[in-house]
Amino acid sequence: MTNTGMFELCRLYYDEKTMEHAERVADEAKHLCCFFYSPLTYISTDINFVYQLGLAHDLYEDTNITRGVWFDEKFEKNLKLLTKEKNEDYNEYVGNIHDMAKDNPEYMPAYIVKLADMYDHFAQADTLTEKLKNKYVAAIPYLI
């Protein structure tokens, strides 16, 4: 799928505020890619893949999109990893993203997008409540 195609798909499912958040996360994730590329390892971050994953990162968690029909296997795996289940502890969820990326470079895009997502939440002073701030601060050690 192209970046434009992913943008249009997300726009069909997200409300305006969620779409704005997804765009900011995608842009930040694209910038973070350079920090996670190493020619000496198997870690190679495709900027377009990470950008599209940033756009889509909330699709399964926040919309009614049908799972498993839109994306290839690698994208689907990363998107599922980014999807926090309703009863899942946030710190365990974030720690799982870290552990999966550490053990399997295929999941590095999900890790990059989660970093960008948390960054965006911290950067939004108008919506960052004390409760959310405490939640994200508590999760940082599980992510890094």
Side-chain angles (χ1 to χ4, degrees):
M1 185 177 299
T2 65
N3 289 352
T4 302
M6 182 61 74
F7 181 88
E8 292 302 323
L9 175 67
C10 291
R11 211 166 66 153
L12 286 173
Y13 285 92
Y14 289 148
D15 61 35
E16 187 176 336
K17 278 186 83 166
T18 305
M19 189 66 205
E20 289 170 1
H21 166 69
E23 288 180 85
R24 290 190 307 266
V25 169
D27 287 337
E28 185 62 30
K30 191 168 59 171
H31 294 133
L32 286 173
C33 279
C34 66
F35 294 107
F36 293 94
Y37 172 75
S38 171
L40 303 175
T41 69
Y42 294 110
I43 299 172
S44 174
T45 50
D46 176 341
I47 290 176
N48 288 322
F49 184 92
V50 171
Y51 177 81
Q52 290 178 25
L53 188 63
L55 286 174
H57 80 279
D58 279 333
L59 278 177
Y60 287 169
E61 195 170 320
D62 295 342
T63 75
N64 63 353
I65 193 170
T66 304
R67 293 183 183 207
V69 298
W70 293 98
F71 312 116
D72 67 26
E73 183 180 354
K74 181 180 177 185
F75 197 92
E76 184 74 19
K77 285 179 178 181
N78 276 270
L79 188 54
K80 282 182 181 179
L81 184 60
L82 284 167
T83 303
K84 182 187 166 298
E85 299 303 324
K86 296 218 183 295
N87 295 323
E88 189 175 14
D89 177 77
Y90 190 76
N91 292 344
E92 288 179 20
Y93 154 74
V94 170
N96 188 46
I97 293 170
H98 170 270
D99 293 346
M100 292 294 288
K102 181 182 71 161
D103 294 339
N104 186 345
E106 180 180 34
Y107 292 107
M108 187 56 72
Y111 181 79
I112 292 168
V113 168
K114 190 61 197 170
L115 284 173
D117 181 42
M118 288 182 75
Y119 172 82
D120 185 63
H121 285 298
F122 277 121
Q124 302 309 307
D126 57 325
T127 58
L128 185 64
T129 64
E130 195 65 29
K131 182 179 178 181
L132 281 176
K133 180 181 173 184
N134 292 337
K135 171 184 159 180
Y136 297 129
V137 167
I140 290 173
Y142 294 90
L143 192 59
I144 52 175

